[in-house]
Amino acid sequence: MEPTDEELVEQVRNGETSAFRTLVERHYQKVFGVAMGMVRNRDDALDLTQEAFLHVHRSISGFRSSAKFSTWVYRIVTNLCLDHFRRVGRSPQTVELPPLLEDDAPPMDWPDPAAEPPDDAVHRSEVRRALDGAFAQLSAPHRAVMVLREVEGLSYEEIAEAMGCSVGTVMSRLYYARKRLQVLLASYGPGGAEGKQ
Amino acid sequence: MGVKGHSRSMEWLVMQAHDGQLPERHRAAVAAHLVDCAECRSYLGATRSVSAWLRSRESAPEFSPAFSEVWRGVASRLPASAGPLPWWGAWRWVKLGGWSFRPGWLAAVGLTAALLLLLVNPYGRLPLPQSHEASVAFVEASDYPVIVMMPAHPHEMTVIWLFEQGAPPVPPT
């Protein structure tokens, strides 16, 4: 039977490098996925992934056994990504967006998911490009909640723990991120500005 | 029964439904609302599309590095002698009755309590209360008299042997 994360952590505390290697092997893909989702650059994401695991090794004595190891690692890599943006002075590009939350705003003409399965839609190259561009315009915290929720499948509570904020903040960021993507993508959908061209 | 009219609150509920975080008691109402509300269907459609796109993109093999690539960078920067952590570092968090703490905290509390006890320790530091005069018992032994002085505290006892000159001080058995 494979050792649990907690057992591996205990072994790392006792100086077993092989246990640390196993921990890295077990979690590196998810950690890289979070970093890649936030920084959108493979080399930077790889550096941040490695830095996150070095941070784990340095701080493992402070890891509370009551917490989930993966959530703790997510928190580390998320903070490293946010620090990365501060350090390089380059937040993800932001653009002026139309007002988002006016209840009398016209409805977005996005394909009905019931009429067109999302898998079909996302494989259209123009939509993929549009999504890539729209996602790049989100702020780092908004990207982080999107990646943790959509890619890693974390619950609101787990995201809140990983990002060190409240569940309400997580929900608010998720809502605004999706709303912004909806607005940005509207012009690429059928009936949108780009779609009409 | 569905909720009529589009609102931001309904979009919040739609979002929670998409994330599987909506309490069961609200699910039927949201489902009914989606039938009538084009705006919420649009929001849900965009949310689903973004979700599918993100998942397909992050799982693309060209994005994910090989483990050896990650480990090489990590292992080269690990401390050279990765021996056991010092004793204070090896003390892990202990969970007991919903509380998480480190054993070191207990040691600190114990040490503080011991110091406080020493400071207020009445034995040998503070004068005995006036009312605590030593009680004296006189015991008539067969060959010599014994005075037993019992001070204020039961574990302190002073025994004075009185014997006639020339008689050897033989302790009782």
Side-chain angles (χ1 to χ4, degrees):
Chain A
M1 198 172 83
E2 288 193 350
T4 64
D5 285 350
E6 287 69 29
E7 289 167 343
L8 289 171
V9 165
E10 191 61 36
Q11 291 171 18
V12 174
R13 284 174 171 150
N14 292 327
E16 293 184 29
T17 306
S18 61
F20 182 63
R21 181 190 164 100
T22 307
L23 273 177
V24 175
E25 192 165 12
R26 193 175 284 182
H27 293 280
Y28 84 94
Q29 283 179 319
K30 287 181 176 297
V31 171
F32 178 82
V34 173
M36 185 68 192
M38 288 184 71
V39 301
R40 313 289 306 122
N41 178 289
R42 190 182 184 280
D43 291 340
D44 287 346
L46 184 58
D47 283 347
L48 288 164
T49 301
Q50 292 169 342
E51 187 59 44
F53 283 112
L54 286 167
H55 191 103
V56 165
H57 190 269
R58 282 195 300 269
S59 314
I60 206 152
S61 65
F63 170 63
R64 300 171 67 136
S65 57
S66 58
K68 199 174 168 186
F69 179 78
S70 59
T71 307
W72 182 55
V73 180
Y74 285 143
R75 180 169 197 161
I76 289 172
V77 72
T78 302
N79 285 331
L80 284 174
C81 289
L82 294 174
D83 287 345
H84 169 79
F85 284 123
R86 292 190 200 105
R87 193 170 56 248
V88 300
R90 175 174 55 85
S91 186
Q93 297 168 357
T94 54
V95 295
E96 286 297 319
L97 295 172
L100 296 176
L101 301 172
E102 294 174 6
D103 287 341
D104 57 351
M108 303 300 173
D109 191 10
W110 188 256
D112 184 351
E116 183 176 15
D119 281 349
D120 292 345
V122 296
H123 283 105
R124 291 181 310 177
S125 61
E126 71 271 21
V127 177
R128 281 213 305 271
R129 277 200 303 273
L131 283 164
D132 221 6
F135 196 73
Q137 293 176 10
L138 293 177
S139 70
H142 286 86
R143 286 187 196 183
V145 292
M146 287 293 287
V147 170
L148 291 173
R149 172 63 218 153
E150 300 288 15
V151 181
E152 306 306 331
L154 267 59
S155 68
Y156 293 163
E157 287 78 12
E158 288 171 325
I159 297 172
E161 192 177 343
M163 295 194 67
C165 61
S166 68
V167 170
T169 302
V170 169
M171 292 175 68
S172 175
R173 284 176 178 168
L174 267 178
Y175 176 76
Y176 279 89
R178 286 163 169 166
K179 198 70 184 169
R180 279 178 178 258
L181 288 171
Q182 184 189 14
V183 171
L184 288 164
L185 288 172
S187 58
Y188 290 90
E194 297 290 330
K196 287 174 180 172
Q197 288 177 356
Chain B
M1 190 176 73
V3 179
K4 299 294 181 187
H6 176 71
S7 67
R8 198 183 316 167
S9 305
M10 285 309 301
E11 284 188 340
W12 271 72
L13 294 178
V14 169
M15 176 185 78
Q16 291 177 62
H18 167 79
D19 291 331
Q21 308 272 307
L22 185 68
E24 194 163 353
R25 62 182 182 278
H26 297 309
R27 287 179 196 164
V30 170
H33 174 79
L34 280 169
V35 173
D36 297 327
C37 183
E39 291 93 332
C40 283
R41 281 204 307 276
S42 172
Y43 179 72
L44 181 61
T47 298
R48 284 179 173 176
S49 296
V50 169
S51 174
W53 166 75
L54 265 177
R55 287 173 188 170
S56 66
R57 188 195 62 167
E58 300 303 337
S59 61
E62 64 267 25
F63 278 118
S64 188
F67 169 69
S68 59
E69 192 178 1
V70 176
W71 180 247
R72 196 167 49 241
V74 174
S76 66
R77 292 156 70 188
L78 283 177
S81 57
L85 293 169
W87 63 270
W88 62 86
W91 280 16
R92 63 179 179 180
W93 290 93
V94 174
K95 193 174 185 183
L96 187 65
W99 293 87
S100 290
F101 59 88
R102 287 186 169 202
W105 294 359
L106 284 184
V109 170
L111 191 62
T112 306
L115 284 172
L116 283 173
L117 197 63
L118 276 177
L119 285 175
V120 299
N121 176 23
Y123 305 110
R125 282 182 171 269
L126 301 178
L128 289 174
Q130 293 297 321
S131 59
H132 284 201
E133 292 180 0
S135 56
V136 178
F138 181 80
V139 179
E140 184 81 29
S142 59
D143 47 355
Y144 49 85
V146 176
I147 291 178
V148 180
M149 298 184 68
M150 303 185 71
H153 302 286
H155 61 280
E156 291 182 1
M157 180 183 293
T158 303
V159 179
I160 301 175
W161 304 93
L162 297 178
F163 49 89
E164 293 180 0
Q165 192 171 8
V170 180
T173 57

